[in-house]
Amino acid sequence: MHARQNTAGLSTPRAAPPPIHVRDHALFLDLDGTLIEIQDRPHAVFASPALRELLRRLSDLMSGALAVVTGRSLGDLDDILEGAVDHAAGVHGFEIQRGARITRDQIELTQLAEARADLRRLLQQHELPALVEDKHASLALHYRQIPEAEELVQSIAREIAAKRGLRVLQGKMVVELIATARTKGYAVTVLMAAPPFSGRTPVAIGDDRTDEDAFSAATRMGGFGVLVGEPRETHARYVLADPSAVAAWLQMGLRAG
Ligand SMILES: [Mg+2]
C-alpha cells in the first residue's frame, strides 16, 4: 500500500490518501504550498472564493473539526481566508485560535528586538535585499528573489540564532528565527485535546519541513500525514502532488459527506 518505514518513522510515500471521513477525521491544513500555490512575495497571496467556500463547507460538514496550521500570523491568515475557518494555529503554533478565543505563548521579546537589530546590520553590511517579515514571535528572512544568496542568508540566520538563543526554522526559500519552542505538532496536539477535534482521527497535510512535526503528532494519535509535493523522505504516510490535487481531494470529501 505505502512505502515501508525505517526506524525513524520515515518513508517515501507514493500513494494518495484515502478519502476523508467527515464524521471521523479531524483535518489540519497548512496554507502556503498546500492550499495555495507559493508566490514570490509572501504578501502577494490570496485565497480564491472557491477555496474559501470549500473550506467553509467542509468545516461545517465536519462539525468544525478543520483547522489551518500555518507559519503565517493569525492576522495575516484571516486577511487571506476572510474567516472561512473557525480554528487555526499561527506562527508554527505560537498562537492558537479556537473559535473567537486566541491564546499565545509567552515569549522573551528582548532577544527578538536584538536579533532584529543584528539582522538589519548584517543585511546592510552584505548589501542583501532579503525580505524580512516580522511576525512578532519570529523574524522570517525570505530569499526567493535572491536564491544565489541562500548560503549567506542561512549563515546570517544561524549566527544570530546562536547569539540570541533563538530557534532556526527552515522553509522553502525562507529561514525563520523564532522565539517560541512551539511547533505545528504542538498545535495539532493541543487542538486535538478539545471539541470539536477530540475523539476524531487527526489528518495533517503540508508541504514543508515544519509540517513534519504535525505529521508525527497526527501519526502518534492514530492518524496520518499527507505530504504535498514531490515524494521524499517524510513522516507523512501519503502524498498529493500540489495544491490543486489537495483541493480535488478535499472536494471528494465534500461529495462523500
Ligand atoms: Mg507550506
Side-chain angles (χ1 to χ4, degrees):
M1 188 63 191
H2 51 81
R4 216 173 56 214
Q5 297 196 337
N6 67 18
T7 46
L10 289 163
S11 71
T12 304
R14 306 275 169 191
I20 300 165
H21 291 275
V22 294
R23 276 176 295 276
D24 301 330
H25 284 157
L27 276 183
F28 299 94
L29 298 154
D30 169 48
L31 184 73
D32 298 80
T34 296
L35 290 175
I36 51 184
E37 292 287 352
I38 290 176
Q39 301 298 321
D40 280 349
R41 297 182 80 83
H43 291 288
V45 313
F46 79 103
S48 67
L51 174 63
R52 293 199 303 266
E53 177 65 13
L54 171 61
L55 293 175
R56 211 171 276 128
R57 288 182 54 204
L58 197 53
S59 173
D60 281 351
L61 215 53
M62 300 181 75
S63 310
L66 181 153
V68 172
V69 178
T70 176
R72 287 180 181 271
S73 68
L74 288 179
D76 204 3
L77 182 67
D78 199 47
D79 287 344
I80 296 169
L81 292 184
E82 299 178 7
V85 297
D86 291 334
H87 308 283
V91 199
H92 313 282
F94 165 68
E95 37 189 15
I96 308 268
Q97 177 185 351
R98 297 179 189 85
R101 192 165 151 255
I102 293 176
T103 50
R104 292 189 172 84
D105 188 17
Q106 299 250 348
I107 51 162
E108 177 55 68
L109 288 173
T110 333
Q111 293 162 299
L112 273 168
E114 286 163 349
R116 206 171 285 127
D118 293 341
L119 197 54
R120 205 175 301 127
R121 182 173 49 77
L122 284 168
L123 290 178
Q124 214 164 48
Q125 187 182 315
H126 293 283
E127 295 179 21
L128 275 177
L131 177 66
V132 180
E133 187 191 357
D134 200 327
K135 297 196 275 188
H136 182 67
S138 84
L139 296 165
L141 272 97
H142 298 267
Y143 53 89
R144 191 165 291 272
Q145 316 273 26
I146 43 162
E148 68 282 1
E150 175 164 35
E151 224 164 280
L152 181 56
V153 173
Q154 290 283 350
S155 80
I156 288 174
R158 281 195 302 272
E159 181 189 328
I160 299 174
K163 190 169 152 196
R164 303 299 177 196
L166 297 168
R167 207 152 55 93
V168 178
L169 287 185
Q170 299 290 346
K172 287 179 179 160
M173 300 304 217
V174 58
V175 58
E176 210 163 329
L177 301 169
I178 190 161
T180 173
R182 290 184 177 178
T183 63
K184 286 188 173 187
Y186 168 87
V188 169
T189 307
V190 104
L191 284 168
M192 279 298 292
F197 298 92
S198 48
R200 287 174 172 255
T201 302
V203 178
I205 301 121
D207 68 307
D208 220 335
R209 276 184 259 179
T210 53
D211 296 303
E212 293 290 332
D213 295 313
F215 300 155
S216 298
T219 306
R220 251 194 330 268
M221 288 181 279
F224 57 86
V226 181
L227 174 71
V228 181
E230 290 289 314
R232 60 164 163 83
E233 274 221 319
T234 174
H235 290 95
R237 196 180 304 164
Y238 302 100
V239 67
L240 287 168
D242 52 30
S244 57
V246 174
W249 180 69
L250 295 175
Q251 284 285 357
M252 236 162 57
L254 258 194
R255 284 197 297 273

